[in-house]
Amino acid sequence: MTVMMVAVFATLVLAILLGQFGPRWAALASLFACLCLFVWLFLFEIYSPEYGFRLPWLQVGTAEPPREA
């Protein structure tokens, strides 16, 4: 997972450098690649069986409601 974060950062840096010094089409292609990698990484982390959906504010219990006597 750390490798994917480095890949997202590297493509973003490449897009910035190409936007400054290179052809515009290459910068846009690199920016699009960065966006695709970011979305893939986000969806992987959400749907991962190891990390996904373990947000404490989304946890629900199955306790019964209290009964009145």
Side-chain angles (χ1 to χ4, degrees), residues 27-41:
L28 290 175
S30 182
L31 190 62
F32 181 72
C34 177
L35 179 68
C36 290
L37 287 172
F38 167 72
V39 168
W40 183 82
L41 179 63

Side-chain angles (χ1 to χ4, degrees), residues 8-67:
V8 170
F9 181 74
T11 55
L12 185 59
V13 168
L14 181 65
I16 291 170
L17 289 175
L18 285 172
Q20 193 70 23
F21 302 113
R24 186 178 181 111
W25 65 269
L28 290 175
S30 182
L31 190 62
F32 181 72
C34 177
L35 179 68
C36 290
L37 287 172
F38 167 72
V39 168
W40 183 82
L41 179 63
F42 176 75
L43 291 176
F44 172 76
E45 287 185 4
I46 291 295
Y47 290 110
S48 170
E50 204 173 309
Y51 302 108
F53 295 117
R54 292 202 180 179
L55 305 174
W57 54 90
L58 293 179
Q59 300 297 324
V60 293
T62 58
E64 294 181 21
R67 297 183 184 178

